[in-house]
Amino acid sequence: MSEKKPLRISKIVIDRDLCIGAASCVTIAPGVFQMDEENKAILVDLRGNDAETTLLAAESCPTKAIFLYDEDGKQVYPYT
Amino acid sequence: MIADYLIIGAGIAGTTAAETIRGRDAGGTIVLVGDEPHPLYSRVLMPHVVRGRVGEANMFLKKPTWYGEKGIEYLSGVAVARVDAARKVCGLSDGREISYGKLLIATGGRPRRLDCPGADDAGLLQLQTVEDARELAAINGGSALVIGGGFIAMEFALSFAHKKIPVTVAPRGDGFWGRVLGERARAMIAAKLGSNGVMLRSNSSLSGFSGRRGDIRATFRDGGAHDCTVVGSGIGIEPNVGFLKGSGVPVNLGVVTDEFLASSAPGVYAAGDVAEFFDLISADRHILGNWTNALLHGKTAGANMAGERTAYKALTSYSINCFDLPIAFLGAVESGFERLERRYDDAVLHCYLREGRVVGAAAVGKFHEREAAVGLITPRTLLDAARRAAFADARLPLARIIT
Ligand SMILES: Cc1cc2nc3c(=O)[nH]c(=O)nc-3n(C[C@H](O)[C@H](O)[C@H](O)COP(=O)(O)OP(=O)(O)OC[C@H]3O[C@@H](n4cnc5c(N)ncnc54)[C@H](O)[C@@H]3O)c2cc1C
Ligand code: SF4
């Protein structure tokens, strides 16, 4: 099996048009995401949870509204 | 055919479980049986596809090649017809038999069907599958009637309104979510619908339909009638458990499990909308029908099938925007629970109590005190008279009750 590099997330983008307030991300990674008054997710702390948890939160979004990038600016999620 | 892990139902719960098992057991054989002939897609996105906000391709969450890459044998378009939990075998709709080591039931639910004269001929729309979404997307012009007063009825109403099709919603109760929301919250929703041209025909008890799509008359027990060209039916879903009759797997409303999502039948687990699980947060056994719950169930059940022993504990929610009015339900919200109300200028927050303890919340208008509500529900906070009074007084931050 290939060596797995530790996951590093240096940028998170939430597409507000896609976000429907399902709050999956907030349920899984409340340190990173919170809901705002319009019931849309906002980023509160890039490092508020560990990277694996943040990835799970992004994967859980039913509208694929969360984009994760590593330190080289490469998109980590959604998988391309 | 033999499978170390057999998963029935290839929705978000079943697919997540398969992926989780593969992450923990590189060599075990995983067979995923799903009766829908598609790779995994997001039901949550369907209404947004119907309303043209996202393209249909975005609805699909896995590529067809993904299953093979993960070493998951995906039998798609095939149903499991019966289960024999004593022999640990399943019979498929195509006649094959599969013996299993561990079995996951993740069959979700199906829309409850309107059982009244003329319903079959009227060609009622449902909104549960890709095919349903395509059918709804293709409808143009005419006028619509929606039966129901919950999430799917709301999705229908919003979709017709988006298409500029005149629409009337006929819930059985008084307004939307008549059995769980208070009067003020329901009035806010009704006003929002009204100002966007959606008519509400509350307390409607349907007696039947005549005609076919294009020219339908619905009649009601109060003597009234409503003419329209198309009817959307959104009266709730029922768990897909019919194929488990005589299987030895315990079924009540859904498949009955403990907090590990294990049933009492050896090696048999359940996850998602079909699981009637013991919820550690509400300390109660129930079914929850939301995306996050189904996904996290899949994670927990998959891990436990692969040899772990993790209890499921998550506080999940379901929300929708009625035009620009947010509506959200968090945790356990059931009609039998005691309900408290907190009024803001432009919003309502309810909390729901079982045996005096907070187990759920609902917000209409805004949910800015969501974190505080989570803080009340997670430890099942007991509300004495002083705390009840504090809940009702929106001038003080809700977070203050917790300390
Ligand atoms: C229009 C719509 C909008 C929604 N919006 C939201 C939302 O905004 N937020 C939210 O949280 N939730 C929402 N939901 C609910 C959410 O989609 C469900 O809770 C979730 O999809 C449940 O996943 P599941 O895997 O348990 O079941 P399902 O997605 O129902 O998957 C079960 C699968 O098993 C198959 N199956 C059944 N019986 C058999 C059998 N015998 N053999 C083989 N296969 C079988 C079914 O055909 C189905 O494909 C929405 C649902 C709908 C329909
Ligand atoms: S999970 Fe997705 S849709 Fe839901 S709140 Fe988070 S970003 Fe928005």
Side-chain angles (χ1 to χ4, degrees):
Chain A
M1 272 184 123
S2 63
E3 276 286 310
K4 238 186 159 178
K5 246 189 23 185
L7 177 66
R8 287 249 165 95
I9 298 167
S10 8
K11 195 172 117 190
I12 300 176
V13 175
I14 303 162
D15 185 329
R16 283 185 73 81
D17 283 339
L18 285 176
C19 175
I20 55 154
S24 216
C25 56
V26 180
T27 307
I28 293 169
V32 176
F33 303 100
Q34 283 297 319
M35 303 304 290
D36 70 5
E37 290 226 343
E38 289 173 34
N39 203 33
K40 298 214 178 224
I42 48 168
L43 183 65
V44 287
D45 180 1
L46 183 64
R47 311 235 175 276
N49 290 100
D50 63 69
E52 291 295 334
T53 304
T54 306
L55 176 62
L56 175 59
E59 286 177 332
S60 80
C61 174
T63 65
K64 285 195 274 186
I66 300 173
F67 297 79
L68 307 179
Y69 302 88
D70 67 12
E71 59 250 285
D72 307 323
K74 205 175 132 262
Q75 185 171 316
V76 181
Y77 186 83
Y79 308 116
T80 41
Chain B
M1 211 174 171
I2 299 174
D4 296 321
Y5 306 95
L6 176 60
I7 296 166
I8 315 177
I12 186 63
T15 308
T16 303
E19 191 171 7
T20 306
I21 292 168
R22 182 52 81 224
R24 272 149 228 260
D25 180 346
T29 47
I30 305 173
V31 177
L32 176 62
V33 186
D35 59 6
E36 293 188 73
H38 304 289
L40 177 69
Y41 62 93
S42 172
R43 294 196 199 286
V44 177
L45 266 181
M46 294 191 313
H48 305 273
V49 172
V50 168
R51 285 171 230 147
R53 276 186 50 190
V54 283
E56 202 196 84
N58 284 322
M59 207 159 68
F60 290 92
L61 300 179
K62 299 289 185 209
K63 295 199 178 81
T65 50
W66 177 83
Y67 302 87
E69 287 161 12
K70 290 279 174 185
I72 296 165
E73 183 163 357
Y74 179 26
L75 306 180
S76 106
V78 181
V80 169
R82 65 202 148 73
V83 174
D84 183 338
R87 286 175 52 225
K88 291 191 148 194
V89 290
C90 288
L92 305 187
S93 54
D94 61 11
R96 278 183 287 180
E97 281 208 334
I98 304 180
S99 303
Y100 63 82
K102 298 274 166 62
L103 176 70
L104 179 66
I105 296 157
T107 46
R110 68 182 69 227
R112 194 168 289 138
R113 297 189 78 88
L114 273 168
D115 185 19
C116 63
D120 286 344
D121 286 340
L124 310 183
L125 295 173
Q126 298 183 329
L127 188 51
Q128 176 71 13
T129 64
V130 182
E131 290 73 21
D132 296 337
R134 287 178 184 150
E135 194 177 358
L136 176 59
I139 297 221
N140 280 306
S143 63
L145 176 67
V146 175
I147 309 294
F151 277 104
I152 300 301
M154 181 65 80
E155 294 288 11
F156 267 121
L158 295 171
S159 297
F160 287 123
H162 181 86
K163 289 163 171 289
K164 309 248 183 292
I165 296 175
V167 53
T168 298
V169 185
R172 206 204 295 255
D174 188 357
F176 269 86
W177 293 283
R179 295 192 311 167
V180 292
L181 291 183
E183 213 176 308
R184 189 163 191 258
R186 280 181 282 128
M188 285 176 67
I189 297 170
K192 182 57 71 177
L193 291 170
S195 65
N196 285 278
V198 176
M199 311 296 276
L200 203 52
R201 188 191 197 285
S202 283
N203 305 306
S204 283
S205 175
L206 198 65
S207 56
F209 297 101
S210 57
R212 293 178 182 276
R213 196 180 293 174
D215 182 15
I216 303 169
R217 166 163 292 191
T219 48
F220 298 93
R221 296 235 162 81
D222 59 16
H226 186 91
D227 293 333
C228 60
T229 58
V230 66
V231 177
S233 170
I235 55 167
I237 69 164
E238 49 195 37
N240 283 318
V241 290
F243 70 103
L244 292 172
K245 203 169 257 171
S247 66
V249 177
V251 171
N252 180 34
L253 293 170
V255 176
V256 178
T257 79
D258 59 16
E259 64 270 36
F260 301 97
L261 304 177
S263 79
S264 59
V268 180
Y269 295 74
D273 284 13
V274 78
E276 189 176 335
F277 66 106
F278 188 79
D279 188 335
L280 288 175
I281 290 195
S282 61
D284 202 6
R285 198 183 305 280
H286 58 185
I287 296 178
L288 282 183
N290 74 67
W291 183 264
T292 314
N293 180 69
L295 176 120
L296 294 175
H297 265 187
K299 285 253 162 206
T300 300
N304 289 344
M305 289 166 76
E308 272 185 39
R309 194 160 166 78
T310 314
Y312 175 82
K313 192 173 183 190
L315 177 58
T316 57
S317 63
Y318 195 142
S319 55
I320 194 167
N321 284 345
C322 171
F323 300 96
D324 58 354
L325 185 76
I327 302 167
F329 294 84
L330 176 68
V333 174
E334 291 172 25
S335 55
F337 294 169
E338 186 190 350
R339 177 183 70 222
L340 302 185
E341 180 163 307
R342 184 174 169 85
R343 291 185 173 193
Y344 314 100
D345 287 343
D346 50 354
V348 173
L349 177 66
H350 288 307
C351 75
Y352 297 84
L353 310 180
R354 222 183 96 245
E355 290 158 8
R357 295 179 177 276
V358 187
V359 292
V364 173
K366 61 182 176 188
F367 201 1
H368 59 300
E369 294 194 291
R370 181 190 182 96
E371 260 190 282
V374 169
L376 283 176
I377 297 168
T378 306
R380 244 179 304 131
T381 310
L382 188 66
L383 292 193
D384 55 16
R387 280 172 160 167
R388 283 166 190 250
F391 183 86
D393 186 355
R395 288 170 306 182
L396 296 172
L398 186 58
R400 296 239 320 238
I401 301 187
I402 302 169
T403 48

PDB file of all heavy atoms in Angstrom, chain A residues 45-64:
ATOM      1  N   ASP A  45     -13.219  28.537  12.422  1.00  0.00           N
ATOM      2  CA  ASP A  45     -11.813  28.299  12.767  1.00  0.00           C
ATOM      3  C   ASP A  45     -11.293  27.147  11.917  1.00  0.00           C
ATOM      4  O   ASP A  45     -11.719  26.015  12.076  1.00  0.00           O
ATOM      5  CB  ASP A  45     -11.694  27.968  14.261  1.00  0.00           C
ATOM      6  CG  ASP A  45     -10.256  27.704  14.687  1.00  0.00           C
ATOM      7  OD1 ASP A  45      -9.344  27.794  13.835  1.00  0.00           O
ATOM      8  OD2 ASP A  45     -10.051  27.393  15.874  1.00  0.00           O
ATOM      9  N   LEU A  46     -10.385  27.473  11.039  1.00  0.00           N
ATOM     10  CA  LEU A  46      -9.816  26.484  10.123  1.00  0.00           C
ATOM     11  C   LEU A  46      -9.274  25.261  10.872  1.00  0.00           C
ATOM     12  O   LEU A  46      -9.320  24.149  10.390  1.00  0.00           O
ATOM     13  CB  LEU A  46      -8.697  27.172   9.327  1.00  0.00           C
ATOM     14  CG  LEU A  46      -7.979  26.397   8.248  1.00  0.00           C
ATOM     15  CD1 LEU A  46      -8.931  26.029   7.131  1.00  0.00           C
ATOM     16  CD2 LEU A  46      -6.819  27.221   7.697  1.00  0.00           C
ATOM     17  N   ARG A  47      -8.743  25.481  12.064  1.00  0.00           N
ATOM     18  CA  ARG A  47      -8.141  24.385  12.831  1.00  0.00           C
ATOM     19  C   ARG A  47      -8.983  24.000  14.050  1.00  0.00           C
ATOM     20  O   ARG A  47      -8.468  23.464  15.024  1.00  0.00           O
ATOM     21  CB  ARG A  47      -6.738  24.775  13.296  1.00  0.00           C
ATOM     22  CG  ARG A  47      -5.857  25.341  12.205  1.00  0.00           C
ATOM     23  CD  ARG A  47      -4.535  24.613  12.049  1.00  0.00           C
ATOM     24  NE  ARG A  47      -3.799  25.145  10.912  1.00  0.00           N
ATOM     25  CZ  ARG A  47      -3.987  24.754   9.652  1.00  0.00           C
ATOM     26  NH1 ARG A  47      -4.877  23.827   9.357  1.00  0.00           N
ATOM     27  NH2 ARG A  47      -3.281  25.293   8.671  1.00  0.00           N
ATOM     28  N   GLY A  48     -10.269  24.312  13.996  1.00  0.00           N
ATOM     29  CA  GLY A  48     -11.131  24.061  15.145  1.00  0.00           C
ATOM     30  C   GLY A  48     -11.388  22.582  15.414  1.00  0.00           C
ATOM     31  O   GLY A  48     -11.857  22.209  16.492  1.00  0.00           O
ATOM     32  N   ASN A  49     -11.105  21.745  14.436  1.00  0.00           N
ATOM     33  CA  ASN A  49     -11.179  20.291  14.623  1.00  0.00           C
ATOM     34  C   ASN A  49      -9.986  19.691  13.892  1.00  0.00           C
ATOM     35  O   ASN A  49      -9.326  20.381  13.113  1.00  0.00           O
ATOM     36  CB  ASN A  49     -12.476  19.716  14.032  1.00  0.00           C
ATOM     37  CG  ASN A  49     -13.714  20.127  14.830  1.00  0.00           C
ATOM     38  OD1 ASN A  49     -14.433  21.039  14.450  1.00  0.00           O
ATOM     39  ND2 ASN A  49     -13.969  19.456  15.927  1.00  0.00           N
ATOM     40  N   ASP A  50      -9.712  18.389  14.112  1.00  0.00           N
ATOM     41  CA  ASP A  50      -8.595  17.809  13.367  1.00  0.00           C
ATOM     42  C   ASP A  50      -8.989  17.623  11.900  1.00  0.00           C
ATOM     43  O   ASP A  50     -10.167  17.650  11.551  1.00  0.00           O
ATOM     44  CB  ASP A  50      -8.125  16.497  14.009  1.00  0.00           C
ATOM     45  CG  ASP A  50      -9.199  15.446  13.990  1.00  0.00           C
ATOM     46  OD1 ASP A  50      -9.542  14.948  12.908  1.00  0.00           O
ATOM     47  OD2 ASP A  50      -9.721  15.121  15.080  1.00  0.00           O
ATOM     48  N   ALA A  51      -7.983  17.473  11.054  1.00  0.00           N
ATOM     49  CA  ALA A  51      -8.210  17.480   9.607  1.00  0.00           C
ATOM     50  C   ALA A  51      -9.124  16.334   9.156  1.00  0.00           C
ATOM     51  O   ALA A  51      -9.960  16.514   8.263  1.00  0.00           O
ATOM     52  CB  ALA A  51      -6.870  17.422   8.877  1.00  0.00           C
ATOM     53  N   GLU A  52      -8.991  15.170   9.797  1.00  0.00           N
ATOM     54  CA  GLU A  52      -9.841  14.032   9.417  1.00  0.00           C
ATOM     55  C   GLU A  52     -11.314  14.351   9.677  1.00  0.00           C
ATOM     56  O   GLU A  52     -12.191  14.020   8.880  1.00  0.00           O
ATOM     57  CB  GLU A  52      -9.449  12.776  10.209  1.00  0.00           C
ATOM     58  CG  GLU A  52      -8.087  12.189   9.852  1.00  0.00           C
ATOM     59  CD  GLU A  52      -8.020  11.660   8.419  1.00  0.00           C
ATOM     60  OE1 GLU A  52      -9.076  11.289   7.870  1.00  0.00           O
ATOM     61  OE2 GLU A  52      -6.897  11.649   7.858  1.00  0.00           O
ATOM     62  N   THR A  53     -11.578  14.995  10.807  1.00  0.00           N
ATOM     63  CA  THR A  53     -12.948  15.365  11.157  1.00  0.00           C
ATOM     64  C   THR A  53     -13.485  16.396  10.170  1.00  0.00           C
ATOM     65  O   THR A  53     -14.636  16.317   9.733  1.00  0.00           O
ATOM     66  CB  THR A  53     -12.994  15.914  12.605  1.00  0.00           C
ATOM     67  OG1 THR A  53     -12.435  14.934  13.468  1.00  0.00           O
ATOM     68  CG2 THR A  53     -14.416  16.222  13.043  1.00  0.00           C
ATOM     69  N   THR A  54     -12.634  17.344   9.808  1.00  0.00           N
ATOM     70  CA  THR A  54     -13.055  18.360   8.852  1.00  0.00           C
ATOM     71  C   THR A  54     -13.366  17.727   7.496  1.00  0.00           C
ATOM     72  O   THR A  54     -14.354  18.086   6.838  1.00  0.00           O
ATOM     73  CB  THR A  54     -11.953  19.432   8.702  1.00  0.00           C
ATOM     74  OG1 THR A  54     -11.639  19.931  10.001  1.00  0.00           O
ATOM     75  CG2 THR A  54     -12.401  20.572   7.810  1.00  0.00           C
ATOM     76  N   LEU A  55     -12.544  16.760   7.105  1.00  0.00           N
ATOM     77  CA  LEU A  55     -12.799  16.060   5.836  1.00  0.00           C
ATOM     78  C   LEU A  55     -14.137  15.317   5.909  1.00  0.00           C
ATOM     79  O   LEU A  55     -14.947  15.382   4.978  1.00  0.00           O
ATOM     80  CB  LEU A  55     -11.655  15.081   5.521  1.00  0.00           C
ATOM     81  CG  LEU A  55     -11.848  14.215   4.277  1.00  0.00           C
ATOM     82  CD1 LEU A  55     -11.940  15.078   3.008  1.00  0.00           C
ATOM     83  CD2 LEU A  55     -10.717  13.203   4.130  1.00  0.00           C
ATOM     84  N   LEU A  56     -14.378  14.638   7.019  1.00  0.00           N
ATOM     85  CA  LEU A  56     -15.651  13.923   7.177  1.00  0.00           C
ATOM     86  C   LEU A  56     -16.826  14.906   7.094  1.00  0.00           C
ATOM     87  O   LEU A  56     -17.835  14.631   6.451  1.00  0.00           O
ATOM     88  CB  LEU A  56     -15.660  13.165   8.511  1.00  0.00           C
ATOM     89  CG  LEU A  56     -16.975  12.467   8.885  1.00  0.00           C
ATOM     90  CD1 LEU A  56     -17.368  11.440   7.830  1.00  0.00           C
ATOM     91  CD2 LEU A  56     -16.877  11.798  10.247  1.00  0.00           C
ATOM     92  N   ALA A  57     -16.650  16.076   7.710  1.00  0.00           N
ATOM     93  CA  ALA A  57     -17.712  17.090   7.672  1.00  0.00           C
ATOM     94  C   ALA A  57     -17.986  17.510   6.233  1.00  0.00           C
ATOM     95  O   ALA A  57     -19.142  17.631   5.816  1.00  0.00           O
ATOM     96  CB  ALA A  57     -17.317  18.290   8.527  1.00  0.00           C
ATOM     97  N   ALA A  58     -16.914  17.729   5.472  1.00  0.00           N
ATOM     98  CA  ALA A  58     -17.091  18.142   4.075  1.00  0.00           C
ATOM     99  C   ALA A  58     -17.764  17.023   3.265  1.00  0.00           C
ATOM    100  O   ALA A  58     -18.686  17.272   2.487  1.00  0.00           O
ATOM    101  CB  ALA A  58     -15.745  18.507   3.460  1.00  0.00           C
ATOM    102  N   GLU A  59     -17.310  15.786   3.504  1.00  0.00           N
ATOM    103  CA  GLU A  59     -17.894  14.649   2.785  1.00  0.00           C
ATOM    104  C   GLU A  59     -19.363  14.470   3.128  1.00  0.00           C
ATOM    105  O   GLU A  59     -20.131  13.934   2.337  1.00  0.00           O
ATOM    106  CB  GLU A  59     -17.145  13.358   3.146  1.00  0.00           C
ATOM    107  CG  GLU A  59     -15.786  13.243   2.520  1.00  0.00           C
ATOM    108  CD  GLU A  59     -15.067  11.977   2.979  1.00  0.00           C
ATOM    109  OE1 GLU A  59     -15.328  11.493   4.100  1.00  0.00           O
ATOM    110  OE2 GLU A  59     -14.237  11.478   2.222  1.00  0.00           O
ATOM    111  N   SER A  60     -19.739  14.895   4.325  1.00  0.00           N
ATOM    112  CA  SER A  60     -21.124  14.681   4.771  1.00  0.00           C
ATOM    113  C   SER A  60     -22.088  15.682   4.150  1.00  0.00           C
ATOM    114  O   SER A  60     -23.289  15.501   4.236  1.00  0.00           O
ATOM    115  CB  SER A  60     -21.199  14.809   6.291  1.00  0.00           C
ATOM    116  OG  SER A  60     -21.244  16.183   6.665  1.00  0.00           O
ATOM    117  N   CYS A  61     -21.576  16.734   3.563  1.00  0.00           N
ATOM    118  CA  CYS A  61     -22.471  17.776   3.049  1.00  0.00           C
ATOM    119  C   CYS A  61     -23.283  17.223   1.879  1.00  0.00           C
ATOM    120  O   CYS A  61     -22.717  16.812   0.873  1.00  0.00           O
ATOM    121  CB  CYS A  61     -21.675  18.996   2.609  1.00  0.00           C
ATOM    122  SG  CYS A  61     -22.738  20.221   1.805  1.00  0.00           S
ATOM    123  N   PRO A  62     -24.606  17.221   1.992  1.00  0.00           N
ATOM    124  CA  PRO A  62     -25.426  16.615   0.943  1.00  0.00           C
ATOM    125  C   PRO A  62     -25.477  17.435  -0.340  1.00  0.00           C
ATOM    126  O   PRO A  62     -26.032  16.987  -1.331  1.00  0.00           O
ATOM    127  CB  PRO A  62     -26.809  16.517   1.588  1.00  0.00           C
ATOM    128  CG  PRO A  62     -26.823  17.553   2.648  1.00  0.00           C
ATOM    129  CD  PRO A  62     -25.407  17.685   3.129  1.00  0.00           C
ATOM    130  N   THR A  63     -24.917  18.649  -0.318  1.00  0.00           N
ATOM    131  CA  THR A  63     -24.931  19.456  -1.535  1.00  0.00           C
ATOM    132  C   THR A  63     -23.518  19.728  -2.059  1.00  0.00           C
ATOM    133  O   THR A  63     -23.354  20.520  -2.978  1.00  0.00           O
ATOM    134  CB  THR A  63     -25.645  20.806  -1.298  1.00  0.00           C
ATOM    135  OG1 THR A  63     -24.876  21.558  -0.358  1.00  0.00           O
ATOM    136  CG2 THR A  63     -27.046  20.618  -0.762  1.00  0.00           C
ATOM    137  N   LYS A  64     -22.527  19.089  -1.452  1.00  0.00           N
ATOM    138  CA  LYS A  64     -21.125  19.310  -1.831  1.00  0.00           C
ATOM    139  C   LYS A  64     -20.794  20.797  -1.880  1.00  0.00           C
ATOM    140  O   LYS A  64     -20.227  21.304  -2.834  1.00  0.00           O
ATOM    141  CB  LYS A  64     -20.816  18.636  -3.178  1.00  0.00           C
ATOM    142  CG  LYS A  64     -20.698  17.114  -3.037  1.00  0.00           C
ATOM    143  CD  LYS A  64     -20.042  16.466  -4.229  1.00  0.00           C
ATOM    144  CE  LYS A  64     -21.031  16.154  -5.310  1.00  0.00           C
ATOM    145  NZ  LYS A  64     -20.482  15.407  -6.437  1.00  0.00           N
TER     146      LYS A  64
END
